[in-house]
Amino acid sequence: MEVEESSPSSSSLSSPAGSSDSIDLNFLPFLKREPKSEPASPERGPLPLPAPPAQTPQQQHAAAAAAPAASAAPPPATPDMSFAPVMTPLQALPPNPDEDALLREYYRLASLYLSSAGTGAIVSAPAPGAAAPAVVQPGSGSVVKKRRPRSSELVRVSSLGVRDQIYFRDLVRRARITFECLRGLLLRDDERAESLGLGGVAGYGGGGDRRRVRADLRAAALMADQDLWLNRDRRIVGSMPGISVGDAFFFRMELCVLGLHGQVQAGIDYVSAGRSASGEPIATSIIVSGGYEDDDDRGEVLVYTGHGGRDPNLHKQCVDQKLEGGNLALERSMAYGIEIRVIRAVKSRRGPVGKVYFYDGLYKVVDYWLDRGKSGFGVYKYKMLRIEGQEPMGTVNYRIAEQLKVDVFAVRPTGYLSFDISMGRELLPVALYNDVDDDRDPLLFEYLARPIFPTSAVQGKFAEGGGGCDCSENCSIGCNCAGRNGGEFAYDKTGVLLRGKPLVYECGPHCRCPPSCPNRVSQKGLQHRLEVFRSRETGWGVRSLDLIKAGTFICEFSGIVLTQQQSEIVAANGDCLVRPNRFPPRWLDWGDISDVNPEYVAPDYPALPELNFAIDVSRARNVACYFSHSCSPNVFVQFVLFDHYNASYPHLMIFAMENIPPLRELSIDYGMVDEWVGKLTM
DNA sequence: GAAATTTCATCATG
DNA sequence: CCATGATGAAATTT
């Protein structure tokens, strides 16, 4: 497969996916168009509801199975839980000239995304105090772009090599960053407009201004305008490249942007009957939101209720469901053995909506029947079994972690070496867990929650840059500290970093503003329950019991800070030094929305002095020291100043680069040379 | 809790 | 037969 021709800027992409031969695309054209194929369902026309004490679902299903097979002769719907990656041999298919279209689409997106990254394009900085909206939205007179409809061609992607996985992971991360940062900036712009008393007040029922109010929808729309939604050219069956079991999401729109689930509200996503090759609808994913009273979710076994038949206002069934649309699609997917992606919603206050969506992996529909729901009306039910051999479910990890916070021994009776290696020095306890071997190494180090800077570096450096601000309330645009940050604060009101910068200035001890000032974030310390744990793959590692939202602060990199001279002496006898200039500037990626708004490029930041100091972690260290290395990391380093203003000695603050679900290992890019990386596991 | 908002499937029409 | 537009549904979100 050649990709060059389709990706003009492929120099930066040169076969990033490790050339395509490691990718299998299994097309599913076995669904041949049959003019008169009917579902192998017992009902046509009016649906015979089981009389109250009548048939059990199983009995009714048995009747369904006994019914003559449909003319399309789908394979028998035996619960085949083996994960057969190849459903139809590729050789048996008619040659498909467009076989690599999926890859090409990825490369097209990649070139869109990457062309703007790291180019260092710099325009003039906004004047201090200026508050231009970050996102200029198309006015009412703008041309409405025609958007490509989503394809209906079913395809399965399997056998991704390691390089491909990293490549797609980065691509997905890039899209998610664009979405999330766009949303954050739109919200900030709204607040500004509101505080300035401009028209178009956000909120419903408002007057004449027809502004769209929901930032998630606006962000998604802006991305759609640039054709930045993923997976629109093929309908992927099974797992999505770049999305792992356990991943967390906060918005339905996010799922649409990624193509994981294309319905804005509906719980069943499917290829429509009219557009499918066989003329039958085929379901590919569902969302278990907990809103249907007749659902019965036991985790690995799930009884899912079809959609429809509800009163739009009350959350109650009011008429019988029909075997059509998504309901029929689920039945057809069962008949064809099509696996279904399952996304579950869980209540959580960490999410902006009070709700989090976890991708829980692939299931197969093994049974379905028409039942009488709690409301007394007919509902379709689908029994689904999780396919074995997948990573643990996101919702399961979430529940385990929640339980661990309450009652450790109920979940892990043994293995904890310490419940708080910080001995109370951190805001929250940092546990130490090892159920793998006898290593107790982290107990040997003094725990240092804050780095100790050399006095020569810090003394007399408090007032540099004009000192602190004089705000008596929370800081706002125009104050001294805002100016130091180039006119805008780095965080939104919830403490999410809006965009990575070479250096972020938080308000410090010399500012008058209260501790509640939104420009004080990383200085407040740990906000997530972290745990150092032993793993066979990565040695010591770190994970969180709390769901970590992308862009939030996690922890600081602590230790004894050495000047360049000091570090040269120490380095002679064994290397236990962390060098800040080794970290690749991953902060560049966070907050980069140049794909959507090329105008919003990095302002002309003042050049940072070279960072020649080192952090000695040989005696004293904190939890950050145990982060594993990855070249596709989920956290990054942002330099921050607050207690002193010597730009040569910033704090190394670690932020989340993506939503990190509970119990997933945190990983950082140490910028290690390849030979080292080879020794570690990726 | 109701209203606003989007996408998609479906159906009708040309 | 394909393209286009209108319509209604949807386990959302604020």
Side-chain angles (χ1 to χ4, degrees), chain A residues 178-200:
Chain A
T178 304
F179 176 81
E180 192 48 42
C181 294
L182 210 47
R183 193 184 142 269
L185 290 169
L186 288 165
L187 280 175
R188 192 195 60 182
D189 289 351
D190 284 351
E191 279 166 33
R192 267 187 201 164
E194 205 171 351
S195 69
L196 292 175
L198 298 178

Side-chain angles (χ1 to χ4, degrees), chain A residues 1-2 24-30 88-104 151-156 233-235 277:
Chain A
M1 270 183 236
E2 290 296 311
D24 284 347
L25 300 182
N26 298 322
F27 293 86
L28 311 175
F30 57 91
T88 307
L90 270 172
Q91 306 88 301
L93 308 182
N96 188 339
D98 218 15
E99 189 180 85
D100 57 348
L102 177 74
L103 274 180
R104 210 179 291 139
S151 160
S152 58
E153 184 174 10
L154 288 171
V155 71
R156 185 184 278 119
D233 63 324
R234 293 294 150 89
R235 207 72 75 97

Side-chain angles (χ1 to χ4, degrees), chain A residues 150-151 214 216-217 229 232 235 251-273 275 281-287 304 307 325-327 329 341 343 357:
Chain A
R150 182 154 90 127
S151 160
R214 277 174 53 181
D216 56 322
L217 301 182
W229 287 28
R232 303 219 93 218
R235 207 72 75 97
F251 292 91
R252 286 292 292 257
M253 259 307 173
E254 202 177 353
L255 303 173
C256 292
V257 169
L258 302 179
L260 190 64
H261 185 88
Q263 300 284 341
V264 181
Q265 292 190 45
I268 307 172
D269 193 17
Y270 59 103
V271 177
S272 66
R275 304 185 62 205
I282 301 290
T284 53
S285 63
I286 60 168
I287 293 187
Y304 188 75
H307 64 193
N327 296 351
R341 292 185 292 269
I343 298 133
Y357 299 94

Side-chain angles (χ1 to χ4, degrees), chain A residues 81 83 245 300 386-392:
Chain A
M81 287 303 105
F83 196 165
V245 173
E300 305 275 335
R386 190 163 190 259
I387 294 173
E388 286 171 20
Q390 304 182 82
E391 291 293 301

Side-chain angles (χ1 to χ4, degrees), chain A residues 115-281:
Chain A
S115 60
S116 52
T119 56
I122 297 222
V123 296
S124 59
V135 187
V136 180
Q137 295 182 67
S140 51
S142 73
V143 188
V144 178
K145 244 192 195 170
K146 179 113 197 185
R147 292 177 191 165
R148 287 189 307 162
R150 182 154 90 127
S151 160
S152 58
E153 184 174 10
L154 288 171
V155 71
R156 185 184 278 119
V157 183
S158 56
S159 317
L160 285 183
V162 175
R163 282 173 60 99
D164 293 320
Q165 286 175 32
I166 295 174
Y167 172 72
F168 288 123
R169 182 96 202 155
D170 288 343
L171 205 57
V172 167
R173 182 188 299 115
R174 185 76 213 250
R176 297 182 68 178
I177 288 176
T178 304
F179 176 81
E180 192 48 42
C181 294
L182 210 47
R183 193 184 142 269
L185 290 169
L186 288 165
L187 280 175
R188 192 195 60 182
D189 289 351
D190 284 351
E191 279 166 33
R192 267 187 201 164
E194 205 171 351
S195 69
L196 292 175
L198 298 178
V201 181
Y204 293 115
D209 199 328
R210 282 248 165 240
R211 262 176 66 194
R212 285 183 293 182
V213 284
R214 277 174 53 181
D216 56 322
L217 301 182
R218 274 182 288 162
L222 286 166
M223 289 180 74
D225 290 341
Q226 304 297 320
D227 214 356
L228 288 170
W229 287 28
L230 266 41
N231 297 312
R232 303 219 93 218
D233 63 324
R234 293 294 150 89
R235 207 72 75 97
I236 293 182
V237 169
S239 55
M240 308 282 290
I243 296 177
S244 330
V245 173
D247 280 355
F249 310 85
F250 290 111
F251 292 91
R252 286 292 292 257
M253 259 307 173
E254 202 177 353
L255 303 173
C256 292
V257 169
L258 302 179
L260 190 64
H261 185 88
Q263 300 284 341
V264 181
Q265 292 190 45
I268 307 172
D269 193 17
Y270 59 103
V271 177
S272 66
R275 304 185 62 205
S276 125
S278 64
E280 304 158 285

Side-chain angles (χ1 to χ4, degrees), chain A residues 557-558 577-587 611 613 615 624-625 627-630 633 635-639 651-654 667-672:
Chain A
F557 217 118
S558 176
L577 300 181
V578 176
R579 299 191 179 275
N581 56 12
R582 283 271 184 82
F583 291 100
R586 291 269 179 184
W587 54 264
L611 301 179
F613 70 92
I615 301 178
C625 205
F627 280 43
S628 298
H629 169 81
S630 170
V635 308
F636 65 95
V637 169
Q638 166 69 62
F639 297 121
H651 292 264
L652 275 66
M653 300 302 195
I654 297 173
S667 63
I668 195 167
D669 187 349
Y670 285 102
M672 304 171 90

